[in-house]
Amino acid sequence: MTADHGADQGFDALLKAHRREAGLTQHELATRAGVGVRTVRDLERGRASRPQRTTVDLLADALHLAGAARAEFAAVARGITAPAATDERPAVPAFTPLTPASVAASRGRGLPPPGPLVGRDLDVAEVALTLLRGDGLVSLVGLAGVGKTSVALAVIERVKERHPAGVAGIVITEGSTESDVLTAAATVLGVARSDELAGRLSGAPSLLLVDAVERAPGAVAEALHRLVSVAPSLRILATGRHPVGLPGERVWPVVPLEVPPHDDLDLSSVSKFPAVALFLDRLRRVRRDPLEPGEVGALVRLVRRLGGLPLAIELAAARGRVLDMNQILDRYGHRLLDLAGPETTPGSAPDTVTLRDAVAASYRLLDPDEQVAVRRLSPFRNRWSVELGEAMLADTATPGGALDGDPVPLLDRLVALGLLGMRGSGSMRFRLLDVVRDYAEEQAAAEGELAAIRRRHALVMARFAARVAPDLAGGTLPGAVARLDEVSSDLWGALAYSAIDDPHTALLLAANLPRWWRFRGRDAAGRQWLRRLLDDPRSADADPVLRAWAQLGVAQLAAEHSAASTELPAAEAALATFREQGDVTGELAARNQLSGLWMSTGGYDEARRHGAAALSLATRTGRTRDMAVAQSNLAWHEIRAGDLAAARRRMAAVDRLAAQCGEDRLRALALANVAEVNRLDGRYEDAVKMGRRAITPLERLGDPGHRARVLGTIGLALALADRSDEALRVLAQLRSLAAGADPGVGEAPVNDVQGPSAMIEATLAFRRGDRVLAAEWFGVAVQSYAGGRDLRDVAEALVGLASATDDPVNRAAVIERLDAVCKEGGITLLPSERARAEHEDSRR
């Protein structure tokens, strides 16, 4: 062919001229080039837009073009214009071989080597084993950017030696037909026509990789069904955003990489998680300097926010060239969908892809009802169960609608598409990826549904809390606390939203959480929420019993941070409501709570009256747990009266009753109180032994306030027994509670830490003969306990201060104050305490 084919010609005419000069038919050219015959046909008819560069190179190779002829061929290809609109669909290449043009492109037999994978060893091993077992079609399915193709290439590398008849691959592109796919498969497998595959592939097994099946799902399904039928020894590994949909297909969801479960700031430990390892690997490509200590926390939070999605991790890590971890988190942590980077598809120029584009591609695969379901699930911030998901999906507006009924098939479909993840073996194991959730919220807002969906989420969480609340006592307490812990972020989110939008729902939610808040050291925050909701005029017409439980909760939480007097009226009002409504459970809870509240505010006669009334009502109605609580409250009156023997008897009753109803926390508190009685009685070894038995269940249950008091008892007993080294270790444990050092437990109330800590310091100083330092620390203890819930603590600190004060005048002033505190608190000092205060054998 002469050189004057001319740049004035279109690419269609130029291609046809070169093909005819080479003496090739369209089918022969397609076979030689490794492209679809439809691609050649439509290019020659002028129906295709600008051809992809890879396609042009493959055609030039097949036509043996070089030098000026090749340059002209490429230039005309780049300069052609789009054809006028027609009724026919423009053609695109049916496939692209998974190999550079320079490596066996005309045969299409070469596959690129797999790159290094992080955290995919189990996937690769199990998919490889599935293929080797003889399954004809295995599909790797997942969200865009999750790494399906990378896993597939690694699998092929592992099993290629077991497929002696050949291994090849094609990439499906938009608009492919069944014929295109079959022709492409035949080409890369080394035959001219698809009907020759049966003979070519008979006997020894071969493997075909089919990438991106979602681009032409119908055509791919038809083609693969035919391939499997005519070539039983052919194994197919497909990748896509959804399964192919053929009988016998084995679907393997490719899930995001594992992320750290907590905000651990130790880089060496979090880097063992695949998502963090991948981020650090990609970060090293753009940044030489290692992470600063102050960046590690931001790295962990960012990786958790990215949900372990490899594409999201790579896009975020690329920002590390100019931003540190805290800056990346601040800038993109709340708009992950805007993260973007270049995407290069085979045979095309680089485009910009955002995470929004990647999620949208999978979202569009859903039918309308499935899209509605994803939008309804978007408020969940943590893992959730089938039951919670079912409650969110229930179509309350149109009962019997498409979203009613068994949710399992829908969840299975979302898992198969990679939109929904599953981790763990418990019921709370479902979670939308953060980027999917963010996109679904955008779509819900666009559809005008977001407010209604959030309102329903708040109601679902309120009803969940109401179901769990009765289990926050007895033997079921640990499990109930754990269930609420699992959805803590959803509880807080639902509360924040409904407090503004629907205060009745917010009150229902908050009224069922005080015991959980208390055990997790969130007393102040919980009380603020309850008080805000009770004071909201929109909740004034709420159910009276619900308001009563909220009033009782606010009083209970107030007592935990020495504000019992403020909320006493609320607790008394709750008791009146429960009695009016005939609610025995509520009345018992209110009387037991009032017993403690009055005791901490100096109303000791009222406290004993409520305690006795609670014990009587519980005994009449056979409420074992409430009997144990009442006995525990009454035991403190015996201690105040200095009757340690009576206190022991009541604590023995508490232990017996608590054992009957499986109330581990009450048994632990009974042990703790017996330890305190032993310490007051001078039986220090027994006090340490009983206190340590109490600590183990309290650590498991949380409850930092009581843990602090038990540690104080143990530390004081050790100090009084001259075991100073052990006492100092307990002191360190006690102070760690003040800073909330235990993850998920929260901080202990300040008075429960500062007072006992000062008493231990004072006792250690006194025992080693440093009376001046001891007096200083006893003074600190007096100040720490002042205004607290138990004046007996103040009295004991004053006894210590008097014993360490040598000046008669100062000591007389301390004793005068001690007598006033005992009178105010109805306290009878033990004989040993009065002797210490009067300097009678004060060093005993």
Side-chain angles (χ1 to χ4, degrees), residues 400-430:
L403 295 183
D404 285 340
D406 186 3
V408 173
L410 170 65
L411 300 182
D412 184 63
R413 162 87 165 147
L414 297 180
V415 170
L417 292 176
L419 296 169
L420 180 62
M422 292 194 308
R423 289 203 184 273
S425 57
S427 62
M428 299 287 186
R429 63 180 182 275
F430 299 96

Side-chain angles (χ1 to χ4, degrees), residues 400-647:
L403 295 183
D404 285 340
D406 186 3
V408 173
L410 170 65
L411 300 182
D412 184 63
R413 162 87 165 147
L414 297 180
V415 170
L417 292 176
L419 296 169
L420 180 62
M422 292 194 308
R423 289 203 184 273
S425 57
S427 62
M428 299 287 186
R429 63 180 182 275
F430 299 96
R431 192 176 192 277
L432 288 177
L433 291 179
D434 283 6
V435 290
V436 174
R437 189 184 67 226
D438 291 352
Y439 183 81
E441 283 190 341
E442 286 186 354
Q443 297 303 303
E447 297 289 338
E449 304 168 341
L450 189 56
I453 290 173
R454 286 179 173 173
R455 193 175 302 122
R456 182 164 187 79
H457 173 255
L459 183 60
V460 167
M461 297 314 301
R463 290 172 176 170
F464 176 77
R467 291 196 301 271
V468 175
D471 293 335
L472 288 167
T476 58
L477 174 63
V481 169
R483 289 168 67 192
L484 293 176
D485 286 347
E486 285 185 300
V487 295
S488 60
S489 56
D490 283 295
L491 293 172
W492 287 109
L495 184 57
Y497 180 80
S498 58
I500 298 172
D501 180 75
D502 183 6
H504 281 219
T505 296
L507 191 65
L508 174 63
L509 176 57
N512 285 289
L513 296 179
R515 286 180 178 174
W516 180 58
W517 279 331
R518 179 185 176 190
F519 295 146
R520 288 306 181 222
R522 300 291 183 257
D523 314 308
R527 180 191 172 198
Q528 288 172 357
W529 274 111
L530 282 168
R531 178 45 58 199
R532 169 184 169 180
L533 292 169
L534 286 168
D535 293 343
D536 190 329
R538 296 176 297 168
S539 70
D541 61 344
D543 177 67
V545 172
L546 175 61
R547 285 186 60 85
W549 280 109
Q551 290 171 321
L552 191 60
V554 87
Q556 178 186 24
L557 295 173
E560 291 300 312
H561 52 278
S562 306
S565 59
T566 307
E567 301 295 353
L568 257 175
E572 292 286 5
L575 174 61
T577 299
F578 289 134
R579 297 191 70 185
E580 290 171 5
Q581 299 292 325
D583 190 324
V584 173
T585 300
E587 182 181 350
L588 284 169
R591 287 198 181 279
N592 281 325
Q593 187 62 51
L594 281 163
S595 179
L597 291 171
W598 277 113
M599 185 161 43
S600 64
T601 55
Y604 304 111
D605 291 341
E606 283 294 303
R608 185 179 282 274
R609 180 178 69 82
H610 280 298
L615 181 59
S616 175
L617 178 60
T619 302
R620 286 200 316 271
T621 57
R623 305 290 185 97
T624 306
R625 180 185 181 279
D626 294 293
M627 291 167 61
V629 172
Q631 288 280 25
S632 182
N633 288 335
L634 291 170
W636 279 105
H637 293 284
E638 314 295 3
I639 294 174
R640 286 175 178 279
D643 191 345
L644 298 184

Side-chain angles (χ1 to χ4, degrees), residues 29-207:
L29 175 58
T31 301
R32 183 183 292 184
V35 301
V37 67
R38 184 186 181 92
T39 300
V40 176
R41 185 183 307 123
D42 287 342
L43 285 173
E44 290 192 357
R45 291 177 180 177
R47 292 178 177 174
S49 60
R50 186 189 307 270
Q52 298 177 351
R53 179 176 300 175
T54 300
T55 302
V56 174
D57 288 341
L58 292 171
L59 290 170
D61 287 342
L63 293 167
H64 302 294
L65 298 181
R70 187 180 185 108
E72 176 195 33
F73 190 76
V76 175
R78 289 195 300 271
I80 64 172
T81 58
T86 69
D87 291 336
E88 296 184 51
R89 182 187 59 193
V92 293
F95 81 103
T96 303
L98 287 174
T99 174
S102 61
V103 183
S106 62
R107 299 193 311 276
R109 303 284 297 278
L111 290 173
L117 283 179
V118 176
R120 298 298 193 192
D121 292 346
L122 183 60
D123 286 319
V124 171
E126 295 197 7
V127 174
L129 183 60
T130 301
L131 279 173
L132 294 175
R133 284 173 179 165
D135 288 297
L137 173 59
V138 178
S139 291
L140 304 181
V141 178
L143 190 66
V146 80
K148 302 181 292 294
T149 302
S150 297
V151 172
L153 291 173
V155 170
I156 289 173
E157 181 68 17
R158 180 169 295 197
V159 303
K160 64 183 181 182
E161 300 300 329
R162 302 287 293 274
H163 295 83
V167 175
I170 59 174
V171 176
I172 305 301
T173 55
E174 303 289 344
S176 299
T177 66
E178 177 187 0
S179 176
D180 294 333
V181 176
L182 288 172
T183 300
T187 300
V188 297
L189 290 169
V191 295
R193 297 186 303 273
S194 59
D195 56 11
E196 298 175 4
L197 283 171
R200 163 71 176 79
L201 301 177
S202 62
S206 57
L207 176 60

